[in-house]
């Protein structure tokens, strides 16, 4: 067994604060309230900080450690279904695509939410429809994200959920 | 307390109890006819009328006036219940 530090404190704080704020804004907080707006702007700031962190953060937080690659993602998917998945230290290729998808979607959710309150678009229906459609897309993506994490944790025997809390991946065998 | 009439009190309480359901504005009330009526009414008062929603069993109308943004809430009789500035 080997313990490898993968997620720094900011990555973990970012992940769980966005989880809590997204869930609260989607299901708990009155979406007509000022609190909904503030929580939304907080998420937007966190995403922007995460993007900065993608250039200056620790090794596995950097975008260059998980470049978007459809080729690698397809390869990973094939291995998943062939029950031959190789563990990854940082993000997996499919995980990476999901991260880019969620980061972009969260930015667009925040932006469309802001548009709703602007002088020019106050009372227009389309920014709200766009905002809601993007939230639905994020919710579907999150379900796939959770499904992927569970699948990956079982198939590689590395508990990815606890890694996002502790920062460490516990490798079942010694890494080559 | 000489004039206390339990039956009258009971009927008043009953009236209040059923009142919210009788007065509630629902999504079904968002008809073209009602929207037109409210739009005309608010336009006459100088508001620029935007989207309509139902909130707290009232009509909620997004409007602008003199550069300010408001949400106007109206009951089933198209009476303005409250105006909230954004």
């Amino acid at each position: 067994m080997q313990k490898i530090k993968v997620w720094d404190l900011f990555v973990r704080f970012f992940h769980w604060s966005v989880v809590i704020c997204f869930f609260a804004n989607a299901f708990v907080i009155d979406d007509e309230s000022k609190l909904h707006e503030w929580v939304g702007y907080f998420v937007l700031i966190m995403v922007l900080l995460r993007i900065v962190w993608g250039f200056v953060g620790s090794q596995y937080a950097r975008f260059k450690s998980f470049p978007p690659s459809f080729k690698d993602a397809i390869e990973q998917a094939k291995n998943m279904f062939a029950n031959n998945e190789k563990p990854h230290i940082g993000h997996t290729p499919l995980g990476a695509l999901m991260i880019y998808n969620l980061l972009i979607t969260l930015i667009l959710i925040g932006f469309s939410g802001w548009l709703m309150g602007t002088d020019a678009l106050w009372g227009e229906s389309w920014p709200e429809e766009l905002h809601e459609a993007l939230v639905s897309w994020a919710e579907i993506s999150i379900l796939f994200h959770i499904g992927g994490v569970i699948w990956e944790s079982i198939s590689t025997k590395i508990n990815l959920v606890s890694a996002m809390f502790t920062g460490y991946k516990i490798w079942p065998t010694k890494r080559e | 307390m000489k004039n206390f009439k339990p039956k009258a009190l009971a009927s008043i309480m009953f009236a209040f109890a059923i009142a919210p359901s009788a007065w509630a504005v629902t999504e079904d009330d968002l008809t073209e006819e009602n929207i037109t009526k409210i739009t005309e009414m608010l336009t006459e008062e100088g508001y620029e009328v935007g989207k309509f929603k139902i909130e707290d069993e009232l009509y909620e109308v997004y409007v602008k006036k003199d550069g300010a943004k408001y949400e106007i809430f109206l009951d089933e009789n198209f009476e303005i219940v409250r105006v909230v500035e954004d």
Side-chain angles (χ1 to χ4, degrees):
Chain A
M1 241 174 11
Q2 199 183 357
K3 203 172 161 188
I4 304 152
K5 177 78 188 273
V6 278
W7 311 130
D8 62 47
L9 187 61
F10 176 76
V11 167
R12 286 176 280 150
F13 177 73
F14 163 77
H15 180 271
W16 295 113
S17 63
V18 170
V19 168
I20 292 166
C21 291
F22 182 89
F23 184 85
N25 249 3
F27 302 110
V28 183
I29 298 168
D30 176 10
D31 56 16
E32 300 263 335
S33 66
K34 282 281 163 205
L35 181 62
H36 179 87
E37 291 179 22
W38 287 116
V39 170
Y41 289 138
F42 174 76
V43 171
L44 198 52
I45 290 166
M46 289 308 293
V47 171
L48 297 177
L49 287 175
R50 178 65 186 87
I51 290 171
V52 172
W53 201 244
F55 294 101
V56 301
S58 64
Q59 185 185 354
Y60 298 111
R62 294 196 181 203
F63 295 130
K64 70 175 181 195
S65 79
F66 58 101
S69 164
F70 286 101
K71 194 175 137 267
D72 292 350
I74 290 166
E75 185 67 30
Q76 184 195 349
K78 277 185 196 159
N79 287 336
M80 274 171 88
F81 289 108
N83 226 351
N84 181 31
E85 191 157 14
K86 295 167 187 68
H88 294 77
I89 308 175
H91 294 296
T92 70
L94 280 170
L97 289 185
M98 180 55 84
I99 290 164
Y100 292 112
N101 165 39
L102 284 171
L103 291 178
I104 293 165
T105 305
L106 287 170
I107 289 171
L108 293 175
I109 289 171
F111 180 67
S112 58
W114 170 77
L115 278 182
M116 283 165 64
T118 57
D119 288 354
L121 295 171
W122 179 258
E124 289 279 350
S125 298
W126 70 262
E128 186 169 12
E129 286 160 8
L130 177 64
H131 189 69
E132 287 171 357
L134 287 163
V135 170
S136 299
W137 171 248
E139 287 167 356
I140 293 165
S141 300
I142 290 164
L143 290 179
F144 274 97
H145 170 61
I146 294 170
V149 165
I150 293 171
W151 182 309
E152 180 92 7
S153 294
I154 293 169
S155 64
T156 63
K157 296 185 178 64
I158 296 167
N159 188 332
L160 298 183
V161 180
S162 78
M164 195 44 87
F165 280 107
T166 63
Y168 290 93
K169 282 189 182 179
I170 311 288
W171 230 256
T173 51
K174 189 143 181 73
R175 217 155 38 92
E176 301 120 36
Chain B
M1 295 300 282
K2 221 165 44 180
N3 295 327
F4 180 69
K5 291 178 181 136
K7 269 188 186 169
L9 180 66
S11 49
I12 290 167
M13 284 172 70
F14 179 72
F16 273 99
I18 62 159
S21 59
W23 293 345
V25 180
T26 67
E27 295 287 341
D28 295 338
D29 294 309
L30 275 184
T31 59
E32 195 116 334
E33 193 193 340
N34 287 342
I35 289 173
T36 309
K37 239 182 241 176
I38 295 171
T39 304
E40 279 172 5
M41 199 184 99
L42 294 176
T43 308
E44 243 169 63
E45 292 184 32
Y47 290 106
E48 190 186 322
V49 180
K51 67 186 170 191
F52 279 69
K53 285 194 205 174
I54 300 295
E55 180 77 17
D56 300 334
E57 302 182 334
L58 296 166
Y59 295 100
E60 179 188 18
V61 192
Y62 286 68
V63 299
K64 282 193 273 192
K65 191 180 192 178
D66 304 327
K69 296 169 287 194
Y70 304 94
E71 284 154 61
I72 297 186
F73 294 85
L74 304 98
D75 64 15
E76 79 291 353
N77 298 317
F78 307 141
E79 298 283 342
I80 294 176
V81 177
R82 60 178 185 270
V83 178
V84 180
E85 186 170 359
D86 184 60

